[in-house]
Amino acid sequence: MSSSKPARTTMEGMIWNANHVLDSALDPKTNGIPRDLFKACKGVVLLSVIEAGFCFSGNVGTGVVMARADDGTWSPPSAVGLAGMGFGFMFGAETKDILILIMDHNTLQAYSGDGIIKFGGQVGITAGPVGREIDASVAFGTGGAGGAFAYTFSQGLFGGAALEGAAIGSRKGENDRFYGNTVATPQAVLFEKGAVAVPADSGIEDLWKKLELLKEGKTAELSSEQLSKKESMKAEANKAAEVAKASQTDLVPVEESANGAAPMDASF
């Protein structure tokens, strides 16, 4: 099986990558993320981000945000971009996967807005603790959980990620394209049940199942059948990226620079 990733400029590719990150979180060979945080979180953000030097100052990436309802069910994903995203970096530039656990409703609402929010400014975010069985109460503090915890996955290990200063914004146009209607605002997708129809075999139901497994503190490895499905979905994501590229007005080309990282002049 190929280890390469598909283009992550469309919802198809971002859902593929979100599943890939959750597969890594479920892998018993990784150090994992505290299940207490998955139990308590109000939402998740899953991003694919360029590594610029030794930090994330490049602020270039794409991904999805999902909300957990009061009844414990998960919303469909809504598309987001991390500052200056572009399709060029998806083919060759070094990237890292980021998982953000949103711990309170106010922070979740900030992620679902139409504008751009800045980590460490409008929303609090800290590097999260690692280890599936670690007591996360220390991270929560005596005043209750708030803000968000960020993780990066690289070379088989999860670690806390510092994202202060990065900015994230919604991609309503990509929501509209994927869900096939013009009412797919982040608010509708995340908080209004039935506002959008979940496409069959899109990988969204897989995301829901994996998030539940993580909440229960379970681990899992992909079967040969699941690996084959993952390859098939990667091919479909690449096709979707080619078709959608001409109409995606929120993307700008980001070429690989001499040191393997993307230039830092991209913007929304």
Side-chain angles (χ1 to χ4, degrees):
M1 295 289 177
S2 170
S3 60
S4 62
K5 293 184 176 184
R8 275 95 69 207
T9 53
T10 63
M11 189 72 86
E12 289 87 348
M14 293 184 290
I15 290 171
W16 187 98
N17 200 69
N19 271 297
H20 178 72
V21 176
L22 296 184
D23 289 339
S24 300
L26 285 166
D27 190 336
K29 297 186 291 295
T30 66
N31 50 351
I33 296 169
R35 61 179 176 180
D36 285 354
L37 294 184
F38 277 106
K39 284 182 180 179
C41 75
K42 307 301 181 184
V44 297
V45 182
L46 297 131
L47 296 165
S48 180
V49 179
I50 284 182
E51 182 184 18
F54 296 98
C55 64
F56 295 97
S57 59
N59 299 347
V60 182
T62 57
V64 297
V65 57
M66 300 170 66
R68 176 186 275 152
D70 291 339
D71 62 5
T73 59
W74 286 92
S75 74
S78 180
V80 294
L82 191 67
M85 58 199 162
F87 49 80
F89 83 85
M90 301 301 179
F91 305 97
E94 186 175 1
T95 65
K96 282 190 176 180
D97 295 319
I98 301 290
L99 168 68
I100 301 171
L101 299 179
I102 304 170
M103 305 310 297
D104 67 86
H105 284 293
N106 288 338
T107 302
L108 180 60
Q109 285 287 344
Y111 279 84
S112 66
D114 293 328
I116 296 173
I117 60 172
K118 190 173 182 180
F119 295 125
Q122 291 122 310
V123 295
I125 189 164
T126 58
V130 296
R132 289 185 181 85
E133 300 305 321
I134 286 180
D135 184 354
S137 61
V138 175
F140 290 157
T142 57
F149 294 106
Y151 295 87
T152 180
F153 181 75
S154 179
Q155 298 180 344
L157 292 172
F158 276 95
L163 290 175
E164 288 83 357
I168 193 169
S170 64
R171 298 182 62 203
K172 181 182 180 299
E174 181 55 23
N175 282 353
D176 293 343
R177 184 200 67 81
F178 180 73
Y179 292 113
N181 62 50
T182 57
V183 297
T185 64
Q187 282 283 329
V189 173
L190 296 175
F191 303 117
E192 299 175 18
K193 287 194 175 184
V196 296
V198 173
D201 301 320
S202 61
I204 293 175
E205 291 186 358
D206 294 332
L207 290 176
W208 293 339
K209 292 174 184 177
K210 291 168 188 177
L211 286 167
E212 285 304 301
L213 289 174
L214 288 164
K215 184 186 73 172
E216 296 166 7
K218 295 182 178 180
T219 60
E221 293 186 89
L222 294 177
S223 65
S224 58
E225 181 180 349
Q226 289 170 322
L227 287 170
S228 179
K229 177 182 177 181
K230 190 173 183 178
E231 288 295 302
S232 176
M233 292 184 69
K234 179 172 71 173
E236 291 301 316
N238 281 328
K239 290 178 184 177
E242 283 300 312
V243 172
K245 186 164 61 176
S247 62
Q248 289 179 312
T249 58
D250 61 346
L251 295 180
V252 292
V254 179
E255 297 178 357
E256 188 175 0
S257 63
N259 64 1
M264 297 301 102
D265 57 354
S267 61
F268 281 114

